[in-house]
Amino acid sequence: MSLQENKKKRSFRNFDEAAGHILEMLSKQLKINTLFIAKNDGQTNEIVKSRNTRKELIIEGSFLPLENTFCSLSISYGEAPLVIEDISKSKMTESLEIASQFDNGSFIGIPVYYEDGEVYGTICGLDNEPFEFTEEHIYTFETMSSLLTYVLELEKANNQIQTLSSPLVPVTKGLAILPVIGEITTQRAQTIIDHVLTKAGEKDLEYLVIDVSGVSQINTAVDEYLLKLVDILKVVGIAPVITGIQPFMALKVPHFAASLKGVLIEANLETALKQLGFVLMQNCPKNSGRL
């Protein structure tokens, strides 16, 4: 495998992909039946990622009340890893209804925190048979918890950057502009959609001008997201207007403009505003002789 291919394999687009890779690495060190990462909101526990070997003990994507999970014990235990080598004999699991399903199995778990100390969830190992945890295993879980915190903060920072790079700029009552700048990836396109829908609802818009003159890269997947945004805006009663479509976009995604049938498309922002009945006016000093 070349260095470039290796780098590509180790790059992650989001927390979900990184979480999957972390469980894969853990599974090579711990021969425990199940490894999983869970997220909770204080009431519900969601299994974000799971990896089972002999038997499916934890189902990815499943939900349970937090109070009825091993994760709740781990969070209550604090920052250190919680190790239960025999679930059937632990006083901590006596009131846990789900514990009866695991007999004399074993559990290890440690909370995953955001940088500000807020709990994201947990990273855990579980087996329905006895499992002996070594100091190395415990240290590895501590390390992976810290790594997940780092990944969470990176994703949060990236989302903030993506939002700031596509701000919704109010122009006047009922009208705003969305300048889209730089390379548009699939992830960024989805972030833009989420951001626009949130802000558009707050600003009671009639028109949203989407200016793509600053876009440097586009592909068919991103094209679908932009068309999705246009369709969603129509559904919620906001008239989309597209400006700044460049020649390379038409060449790379030839059906893009054709798919926008019925949508106002203008070469630039000024002509779009004129079509909507707005005129850009320059403020001039008094007595300058200019309007």
Side-chain angles (χ1 to χ4, degrees), residues 46-212:
E46 175 189 357
I47 305 302
V48 176
K49 281 289 177 184
S50 68
R51 191 177 182 91
N52 298 279
T53 52
R54 302 184 310 275
K55 184 178 180 181
E56 189 174 49
L57 301 179
I58 299 293
I59 301 172
E60 188 172 308
S62 61
F63 294 81
L64 274 177
L66 178 61
E67 62 183 12
N68 190 35
T69 65
F70 290 104
C71 296
S72 66
L73 301 180
S74 176
I75 293 168
S76 299
Y77 193 72
E79 296 182 8
L82 169 63
V83 177
I84 302 175
E85 294 197 339
D86 189 335
I87 293 172
S88 65
K89 294 180 180 179
S90 172
K91 289 186 177 181
M92 295 186 71
T93 61
E94 286 177 352
S95 60
L96 202 62
E97 185 180 331
I98 198 173
S100 60
Q101 301 175 24
F102 299 96
D103 300 321
N104 61 337
S106 303
F107 171 82
I108 182 171
I110 183 171
V112 176
Y113 298 96
Y114 290 101
E115 200 170 62
D116 62 5
E118 181 185 352
V119 175
Y120 165 83
T122 53
I123 178 169
C124 307
L126 180 65
D127 208 314
N128 60 337
E129 296 179 6
F131 188 92
E132 185 177 348
F133 297 104
T134 66
E135 289 297 321
E136 184 179 352
H137 293 155
I138 294 170
Y139 176 74
T140 300
F141 266 85
E142 289 175 326
T143 302
M144 293 305 168
S145 172
S146 297
L147 179 57
L148 285 170
T149 295
Y150 177 69
V151 174
L152 281 170
E153 292 303 317
L154 278 180
E155 184 171 66
K156 185 191 293 186
N158 183 57
N159 287 339
Q160 290 172 344
I161 291 169
Q162 300 292 5
T163 299
L164 289 171
S165 64
S166 300
L168 204 64
V169 183
V171 177
T172 187
K173 184 178 179 181
L175 172 67
I177 300 169
L178 175 69
V180 184
I181 301 168
E183 181 178 356
I184 305 297
T185 61
T186 301
Q187 182 183 356
R188 186 181 174 206
Q190 185 59 56
T191 301
I192 290 172
I193 290 175
D194 295 340
H195 175 62
V196 167
L197 292 179
T198 301
K199 294 298 180 182
E202 295 174 359
K203 298 181 185 299
D204 193 25
L205 296 179
E206 293 180 38
Y207 301 98
L208 178 62
V209 180
I210 305 169
D211 183 65
V212 295

